[in-house]
Amino acid sequence: MRGCVGPIGLMDRLKGRLSLSVCQAAWLSTTMIWLFGTWCVAATENRPLQTLDKLLTGVGYISIPLKGAKASRPVITASVNDTNCTFLVDSGWSISSIDERALGPLKTAKESGKAVSDPLFQKFNPNSFTVIEKLKLGSFELDDQSFLLKSLKSLKRQGGIPAEGVLGGDFLLRQLCILDCGQRRLYARKTVLTLQDRTAMAAFLRERGFVEIDLEPSGLFVLTCNAKVNGTATRILVDTGASATILDQLFSDRLRLPRTEKRERAVRGVGRIGASWIYSTVMDALEIGGATDGVTLANLTVGVADLSRWGIAEGPKRSSDIQGVLGIDLLSSNNAVIEYPARKLWLKGP
């Protein structure tokens, strides 16, 4: 009968359709796997990479950009009682200070009659410091901040830093700061980071090849770390306010490091500290931190100077275990992250 299919013909057609369905399914499955893999790769490539900035701002830190080139001393734009100015971020400076004349005559704490809540400044003569009613660093705002009154003219002579103030170790510790020297960022907050968030930050840095180095306090609010110069153990001051890494002259001579006869330049201190000429030398190796948890830098050209005026190195009234300063040059080139709350220095060596 026309249009009718016998049992054998029906089976043949069913087999054909069945075979076609299996082929289609196999093709569709392969295509879906390929499309899914392509989507995954694209999604991974287009997904924003996690950065330290994203991580820290995600847990409540305020990110403050630093001005200038990568190897220059870190300065930030600030506002003091609604007047714009510039602050140097100096980890080697003990107590935060502001120029007594740069922003016009500032009233002393005694003249203003402002109550001083900071226990540190309660020990000072009220004529020696001022209380800034409103301090703004980027989007980070603070009230009633105490600063020593000093003449900071030498900052402009020393490398031409047009800074009206200095954020020292007291501020960096009090505001739980993290200073990213490589990416030129200062992070500040008002409350302690949770252990979980701090652990996440440490894991993030370790995964990216950073080495964790312990810092120890020396003097008032400044931090030092262990080091070895050509195998000789010492300690060095972590100093973002120093444009160059410098060894003390007596220490360099004891190691018999050759140095240039020509004076390279002068390094100046504030007030009565004055200036000291810098020579240069080449060391075979500078090991920062310990043998198993440190970074070794080879064939380094560093400065040599008499650091006695800064109370560093050997001699009467000096910190004899500190024989040099780790300046912003090496801190920047090795992407240093200074973590003040945990007193850690993170370095990513060569």
Side-chain angles (χ1 to χ4, degrees):
M1 183 183 296
R2 187 177 179 182
C4 293
V5 179
I8 297 176
L10 181 60
M11 289 298 296
D12 289 341
R13 289 193 180 186
L14 288 173
K15 287 179 180 179
R17 290 181 182 178
L18 184 61
S19 299
L20 183 62
S21 298
V22 171
C23 291
Q24 287 177 328
W27 177 85
L28 182 61
S29 176
T30 302
T31 302
M32 290 298 293
I33 292 172
W34 177 82
L35 288 173
F36 180 73
T38 303
W39 177 83
C40 287
V41 172
T44 301
E45 290 177 348
N46 295 327
R47 185 176 60 206
L49 294 175
Q50 177 72 299
T51 63
L52 184 61
D53 187 72
K54 289 181 180 294
L55 189 151
L56 291 177
T57 55
V59 297
Y61 265 100
I62 302 298
S63 177
I64 307 166
L66 302 175
K67 297 169 60 178
K70 182 173 180 178
S72 62
R73 281 170 285 197
V75 294
I76 58 176
T77 300
S79 173
V80 172
N81 297 334
D82 298 321
T83 299
N84 292 333
C85 59
T86 300
F87 276 79
L88 172 67
V89 182
D90 190 346
S91 63
W93 191 289
S94 294
I95 302 175
S96 298
S97 306
I98 192 166
D99 193 281
E100 52 197 0
R101 296 292 176 185
L103 301 176
L106 293 170
K107 290 185 178 181
T108 65
K110 185 175 182 178
E111 291 171 338
S112 65
K114 295 283 292 183
V116 181
S117 58
D118 191 333
L120 169 67
F121 283 88
Q122 290 175 357
K123 301 176 183 179
F124 286 92
N125 184 326
N127 287 315
S128 66
F129 66 94
T130 187
V131 180
I132 297 173
E133 294 182 7
K134 186 167 65 174
L135 174 65
K136 188 175 181 182
L137 308 171
S139 59
F140 189 61
E141 298 184 14
L142 295 164
D143 297 326
D144 297 331
Q145 295 296 299
S146 298
F147 282 76
L148 287 180
L149 290 168
K150 285 184 175 289
S151 174
L152 302 178
K153 292 180 180 179
S154 60
L155 289 180
K156 296 182 180 181
R157 294 197 304 268
Q158 183 187 196
I161 302 175
E164 288 78 29
V166 180
L167 297 181
D170 65 320
F171 180 91
L172 298 172
L173 284 165
R174 185 171 62 249
Q175 300 307 145
L176 309 166
C177 290
I178 296 174
L179 180 57
D180 188 343
C181 300
Q183 297 302 316
R184 307 284 296 177
R185 290 271 169 179
L186 175 68
Y187 300 92
R189 60 184 291 132
K190 299 178 182 179
T191 57
V192 177
L193 197 65
T194 66
L195 178 60
Q196 180 180 359
D197 290 336
R198 197 273 159 181
T199 302
M201 187 198 77
F204 173 88
L205 291 170
R206 289 192 191 100
E207 289 171 0
R208 283 151 183 80
F210 282 83
V211 176
E212 181 180 7
I213 298 168
D214 291 329
L215 294 174
E216 293 185 12
S218 177
L220 198 59
F221 304 115
V222 295
L223 300 173
T224 65
C225 64
N226 287 325
K228 285 185 178 180
V229 176
N230 291 352
T232 300
T234 186
R235 297 190 65 77
I236 51 178
L237 178 71
V238 179
D239 190 355
T240 58
S243 60
T245 297
I246 303 173
L247 295 178
D248 181 65
Q249 184 172 320
L250 290 178
F251 179 68
S252 174
D253 290 346
R254 193 166 76 241
L255 297 184
R256 297 182 179 179
L257 296 176
R259 67 172 187 264
T260 58
E261 293 299 327
K262 181 182 177 181
R263 297 170 178 177
E264 299 291 331
R265 52 184 163 150
V267 57
R268 290 182 172 87
V270 172
R272 297 180 181 179
I273 291 177
S276 179
W277 286 106
I278 297 181
Y279 301 85
S280 66
T281 189
V282 178
M283 65 175 74
D284 295 332
L286 173 63
E287 183 182 297
I288 305 171
T292 58
D293 59 350
V295 170
T296 300
L297 308 175
N299 299 319
L300 288 179
T301 299
V302 298
V304 176
D306 177 9
L307 299 178
S308 62
R309 292 185 177 91
W310 287 264
I312 298 174
E314 301 174 358
K317 299 182 180 181
R318 299 204 218 172
S319 301
S320 59
D321 61 334
I322 303 174
Q323 305 292 348
V325 296
L326 182 61
I328 193 63
D329 55 341
L330 292 185
L331 290 170
S332 293
S333 62
N334 292 281
N335 299 294
V337 175
I338 305 173
E339 184 188 358
Y340 273 87
R343 290 178 177 169
K344 300 289 185 182
L345 172 64
W346 297 85
L347 288 179
K348 191 173 184 180

